[in-house]
């Protein structure tokens, strides 16, 4: 079997070859998670911040049928034209990757797709905003993100700010347990809920990068186990939107989303929140992304 084709950027290639820390970043947050132009600002800010933290950033996406690990300037320019709405850009999860390449499509990669591609490239740490999970109303819709499955079969450490409060957080944590995914709270014993530091759900606390990497390596040493690991890093206190404040906006978004399902749901809800909170949710989103990048960088450095 031929290996899945990847195009690794020159900077990422060099870092991998010389054993320097590399941090994977996803791109659905750029194509479908944040509004324009904040999404493009995020892209450049993140790349700069990663370098500042001493890691090589590997933003992962699919452009014109090529799976990219790390972006060159021309890729950033191309992504820019695509997200300004001039061309079609898809939301690609893990199961979409084969056809996306075969049919020469372009798309942002979700957590599941980014994990798969990062693993192919030999990257072991990945920072995102929030993972997908079990949607509220899952009893009827059965909407459970492929991110959960990916975390159970791809050995990568994923740093997130918890799962979005638009989900059923308790059910998401239960699903992660069923799938054998270790979930740890970064210096907290409460699972954060993306915009808020709290959720009312308990997790095991972990306090140092060394403990994370040791625990991860020991899990990998268990024969037959290939699960990833989820590190939940609460949003910085100054950027937080308290649970009680954001909840009514979420309720409204879910009510208005009645006719929306499948892949379109998460982007719809995020967009709804951005509008109803007058940009406050976007600000919080950017703050937690940056915070996760810093922790991801620390873990990537510990890993090497
Ligand atoms: N978190 C954000 N914005 C996003 C997402 C997460 O702040 O856009 C994306 C991630 O890429 C995640 C995906 O993997 O949403 C989950 O989508 P779904 O619920 O359709 O599986
Ligand atoms: Mn879904």
């Amino acid at each position: 079997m031929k290996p899945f084709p990847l195009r690794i950027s020159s900077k990422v290639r060099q870092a991998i070859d010389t054993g320097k820390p590399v941090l994977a970043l996803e791109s659905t947050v750029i194509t479908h998670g944040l509004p324009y132009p904040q999404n493009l600002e995020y892209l450049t800010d993140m790349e700069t911040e990663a370098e500042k933290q001493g890691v090589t950033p590997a933003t992962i996406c699919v452009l014109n049928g090529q799976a990219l690990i790390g972006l060159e300037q021309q890729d950033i320019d191309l992504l820019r034209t695509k997200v300004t709405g001039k061309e079609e850009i898809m939301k690609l999860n893990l199961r979409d990757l084969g056809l996306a390449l075969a049919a020469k499509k372009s798309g942002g990669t979700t957590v599941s797709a980014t994990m798969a591609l990062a693993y192919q490239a030999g990257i072991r740490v990945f920072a995102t905003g929030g993972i997908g999970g079990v949607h509220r109303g899952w009893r009827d819709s059965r909407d459970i993100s492929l991110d959960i499955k990916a975390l159970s079969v791809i050995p990568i450490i994923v740093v997130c700010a918890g799962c979005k409060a638009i989900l059923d957080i308790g059910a998401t944590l239960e699903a992660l347990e069923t799938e054998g995914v270790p979930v740890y709270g970064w210096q907290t014993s409460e699972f954060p809920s993306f915009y808020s530091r709290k959720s009312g759900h308990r997790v095991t606390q972990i306090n140092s990068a060394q403990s994370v990497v040791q625990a991860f390596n020991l899990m990998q040493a268990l024969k037959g186990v290939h699960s990833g690991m989820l590190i939940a890093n609460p949003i910085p206190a100054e950027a937080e939107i308290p649970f009680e404040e954001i909840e009514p906006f979420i309720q409204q978004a879910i009510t208005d989303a009645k006719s929306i399902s499948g892949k379109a749901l998460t982007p719809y809800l995020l967009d709804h929140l951005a509008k109803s909170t007058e940009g406050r949710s976007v600000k919080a989103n950017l703050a937690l992304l940056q915070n996760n990048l810093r922790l991801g960088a620390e873990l990537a450095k510990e890993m090497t």
Side-chain angles (χ1 to χ4, degrees):
M1 186 91 71
K2 276 203 264 169
F4 192 88
L6 297 176
R7 208 216 61 201
I8 302 179
S9 73
S10 49
K11 274 189 193 161
V12 173
R13 172 89 280 155
Q14 203 185 5
I16 293 174
D17 290 349
T18 54
K20 299 235 173 70
V22 177
L23 179 65
L25 301 169
E26 62 141 317
S27 50
T28 293
V29 64
I30 299 165
T31 58
H32 293 77
L34 292 167
Y36 174 82
Q38 284 93 336
N39 55 356
L40 286 174
E41 284 159 24
Y42 157 80
L43 174 63
T44 35
D45 288 356
M46 284 313 202
E47 298 258 334
T48 321
E49 181 67 25
E51 309 266 1
K52 217 167 90 190
Q53 300 294 326
V55 299
T56 304
T59 298
I60 294 181
C61 70
V62 174
L63 286 179
N64 298 336
Q66 276 195 312
L68 307 183
I69 312 289
L71 306 179
E72 307 283 0
Q73 188 54 49
Q74 83 249 20
D75 306 319
I76 294 179
D77 295 341
L78 190 58
L79 195 58
R80 187 179 293 274
T81 29
K82 302 232 184 231
V83 300
T84 47
K86 293 190 189 93
E87 282 174 61
E88 190 208 3
I89 187 118
M90 304 170 78
K91 171 179 166 185
L92 301 172
N93 65 33
L94 173 50
R95 67 172 182 170
D96 302 322
L97 288 174
L99 185 61
L101 263 63
K104 304 251 179 297
K105 297 285 186 191
S106 299
T109 47
T110 65
V111 168
S112 66
T114 306
M115 285 180 80
L117 294 172
Y119 185 66
Q120 287 276 315
I123 302 169
R124 293 292 175 273
V125 187
F126 161 31
T128 179
I131 59 156
V134 181
H135 278 266
R136 296 186 193 184
W138 55 273
R139 280 178 197 80
D140 301 320
S141 69
R142 299 194 174 218
D143 190 345
I144 299 175
S145 176
L146 184 49
D147 291 356
I148 303 266
K149 174 86 183 186
L151 277 161
S152 77
V153 293
I154 305 173
I156 293 224
I157 299 174
V158 179
V159 179
C160 70
C163 65
K164 269 157 288 172
I166 56 173
L167 301 172
D168 183 332
I169 298 176
T172 301
L173 287 170
E174 293 296 348
L176 286 163
E177 183 192 337
T178 305
E179 296 295 335
V181 181
V183 179
Y184 299 122
W186 178 254
Q187 297 174 348
T188 179
S189 61
E190 182 157 0
F191 191 68
S193 59
F194 202 71
Y195 303 115
S196 330
R197 294 173 63 82
K198 298 197 175 315
S199 69
H201 296 275
R202 300 278 123 204
V203 279
T204 303
Q205 177 164 342
I206 205 157
N207 292 322
S208 73
Q210 198 189 19
S211 308
V212 172
V213 170
Q214 277 178 356
F216 179 76
N217 288 338
L218 284 164
M219 286 305 289
Q220 304 314 307
L222 271 175
K223 282 209 177 85
V225 174
H226 310 283
S227 63
M229 178 175 279
L230 191 65
I231 306 296
N233 185 26
I235 184 171
E238 62 278 10
E240 169 178 47
I241 310 178
F243 198 77
E244 312 76 63
E245 271 179 60
I246 194 80
E247 181 60 18
F249 291 110
I250 293 172
Q251 292 283 358
Q252 189 59 50
I254 291 173
T255 308
D256 293 348
K258 278 255 144 47
S259 60
I260 318 272
S261 64
K263 272 188 180 188
L265 183 58
T266 299
Y268 176 87
L269 295 174
L270 291 175
D271 181 55
H272 195 293
L273 284 177
K275 288 185 180 122
S276 62
T277 64
E278 291 168 354
R280 202 168 156 212
S281 69
V282 175
K283 254 188 153 157
N285 204 339
L286 290 168
L288 66 87
L289 281 161
Q290 185 150 57
N291 194 43
N292 293 346
L293 181 138
R294 278 192 221 110
L295 178 54
E298 200 180 323
L299 298 178
K301 286 187 272 188
E302 183 65 34
M303 190 72 113
T304 52

